[in-house]
Amino acid sequence: MKFSAGISLFAAVASAISVDLAKRDTPLDVKLEMVGNTAVKASITNTGATDLKVFKTGTFLDENSATEKVAIYQGGNKLEFDGIRLRVMTTGLDEEAFQIIPAGETVEATFDVGQVYDLSAGGKYDVVSLGAVSYAEANTTELAGVYSVAGSTVAAEVDGAAASAVRRRFHKRIDVQSDCTGTKLTASNTAISNCRSLAAAAATAASSGAAAKVTEYFKSSTTSTRSTVAAVFQRVATECGSTSTGVSDLYCSDVYGACSSGVLAYTLPSQSYMVNCNLYFTALSALTRTCHGQDQATTTLHESTHLSQIAGTDDYGTYGYSGVQSLSAAQNLRHADTYALFANAIYVGC
């Protein structure tokens, strides 16, 4: 893990005709509508009888991570996503992190998948919705549960040349100076060191610790599951074993403009860039002793798992212990917060 310079960043989804997303016992009905070649407008309707207070960070309503809510396939092959992955606060949230969708009303958001998916081949694509939306009850900012927005597929027809031009403009590199200095440098170095220790302990626990603990987080404790989890933690421990080598570059300022409300840190896996937002330094302790609490060390560990060379994990729009419990075993193996919370549990003794 290295402190160095980076590029710009945004978020998006592909060219598609209008489509209804399956509700799956959720009051949210989502329709996608094509706007130009690779931009998409998402219309989210609250079909329930009461107003819904949704956590917008990391969802279709967040321009910096909207593209993370879809997967794109061509000819059955999944395209590589090279947008950002977030870690967000799950406690102490402010009202700015939420959006009210009144009963029966619709909110809209537009994003462009051509920026973070290579659609230069053009032609037909399948766009599949992913993830969930967290919500809070009225008059609180405490996350109460999640609603799925996953499971729908829509056909897309893309002009490859035009999509390639969008991608080239988006990924133009901006040279910036190393920005981790002073107290931010000290905190980042400490977090990296603690990340290594947490990951090493979690690797041991995954491979030879209590089967019930592995099952609690990963819904399985088979030899295959233990081996997979331990290998991820071992790669994290190696990555966090140095501040001058490794696969990733770490920043301490918002060089991608993605530190929206509630965002602690984010990663651009395709370029191996990690960013600690100001909230990382102001809202988190170095290492918490609270079960399922958030701190700088587990946030760095969470972001490390997003790196393509480590595990290429997803967020599924779901954070925190309740979110971990709502996922399938296969999703837990690819979910960044599952790894962070397991490491915390091993350290604290949850």
Side-chain angles (χ1 to χ4, degrees), residues 112-187:
D112 190 335
V113 286
Q115 295 173 330
V116 294
Y117 285 97
D118 185 358
L119 307 178
S120 60
K124 297 183 183 298
Y125 294 86
D126 290 319
V127 183
V128 183
S129 62
L130 303 172
V133 174
S134 298
Y135 66 90
E137 302 295 348
N139 303 317
T140 78
T141 59
E142 184 175 338
L143 299 181
V146 298
Y147 290 123
S148 174
V149 292
S152 182
T153 300
V154 60
E157 186 78 34
V158 173
D159 178 333
S164 182
V166 168
R167 185 174 170 81
R168 284 197 305 271
R169 289 193 298 270
F170 178 73
H171 282 288
K172 197 174 289 185
R173 182 164 182 141
I174 299 172
D175 291 324
V176 297
Q177 296 301 309
S178 181
D179 58 358
C180 288
T181 59
T183 57
K184 288 185 176 181
L185 176 61
T186 300

Side-chain angles (χ1 to χ4, degrees), residues 12-129:
V13 184
S15 264
I17 59 173
S18 180
V19 62
D20 289 331
L21 297 187
K23 288 190 286 187
R24 294 188 177 182
D25 299 321
T26 170
L28 294 177
D29 177 66
V30 183
K31 294 182 180 179
L32 301 183
E33 179 183 352
M34 181 57 202
V35 182
N37 186 47
T38 56
V40 172
K41 180 173 71 175
S43 300
I44 303 102
T45 301
N46 178 5
T47 63
T50 60
D51 295 352
L52 185 61
K53 185 175 184 177
V54 300
F55 183 49
K56 61 186 181 181
T57 306
T59 73
F60 284 122
L61 300 176
D62 180 359
E63 66 175 7
N64 292 309
S65 60
T67 48
E68 190 184 354
K69 304 305 113 185
V70 299
I72 298 182
Y73 297 81
Q74 186 173 46
N77 297 314
K78 186 177 180 181
L79 275 62
E80 181 179 357
F81 170 79
D82 60 4
I84 59 172
R85 303 290 194 190
L86 308 175
R87 193 186 199 199
V88 301
M89 288 285 290
T90 55
T91 59
L93 300 168
D94 56 36
E95 291 291 344
E96 183 184 351
F98 294 85
Q99 182 165 345
I100 302 295
I101 307 179
E105 294 195 12
T106 300
V107 296
E108 298 178 345
T110 302
F111 40 87
D112 190 335
V113 286
Q115 295 173 330
V116 294
Y117 285 97
D118 185 358
L119 307 178
S120 60
K124 297 183 183 298
Y125 294 86
D126 290 319
V127 183
V128 183
S129 62

Side-chain angles (χ1 to χ4, degrees), residues 147-333:
Y147 290 123
S148 174
V149 292
S152 182
T153 300
V154 60
E157 186 78 34
V158 173
D159 178 333
S164 182
V166 168
R167 185 174 170 81
R168 284 197 305 271
R169 289 193 298 270
F170 178 73
H171 282 288
K172 197 174 289 185
R173 182 164 182 141
I174 299 172
D175 291 324
V176 297
Q177 296 301 309
S178 181
D179 58 358
C180 288
T181 59
T183 57
K184 288 185 176 181
L185 176 61
T186 300
S188 296
N189 279 329
T190 299
I192 292 169
S193 176
N194 286 336
C195 166
R196 184 202 63 76
S197 298
L198 291 176
T204 299
S207 62
S208 59
K213 185 58 62 177
V214 179
T215 301
E216 178 183 353
Y217 291 84
F218 294 95
K219 299 185 175 67
S220 170
S221 57
T222 64
T223 300
S224 176
T225 295
R226 283 177 172 269
S227 176
T228 297
V229 173
V232 170
F233 280 122
Q234 287 162 0
R235 290 194 292 273
V236 171
T238 298
E239 179 64 14
C240 289
S242 172
T243 59
S244 59
T245 62
V247 301
S248 62
D249 290 332
L250 178 65
Y251 299 88
C252 296
S253 60
D254 190 12
V255 294
Y256 304 125
C259 288
S260 54
S261 179
V263 177
L264 296 166
Y266 58 88
T267 298
L268 182 61
S270 65
Q271 301 297 321
S272 302
Y273 295 146
M274 297 169 57
V275 174
N276 291 334
C277 298
N278 281 336
L279 197 62
Y280 175 98
F281 299 105
T282 61
L284 298 178
S285 63
L287 194 59
T288 184
R289 294 294 309 186
T290 300
C291 279
H292 307 138
Q294 293 177 296
D295 55 32
Q296 292 170 345
T298 55
T299 296
T300 295
L301 189 154
H302 170 119
E303 295 304 323
S304 294
T305 70
H306 281 319
L307 295 166
S308 301
Q309 303 93 330
I310 304 300
T313 55
D314 206 325
D315 289 317
Y316 299 112
T318 303
Y319 305 90
Y321 184 71
S322 62
V324 165
Q325 296 305 306
S326 73
L327 298 175
S328 68
Q331 288 175 317
N332 283 131
L333 284 176

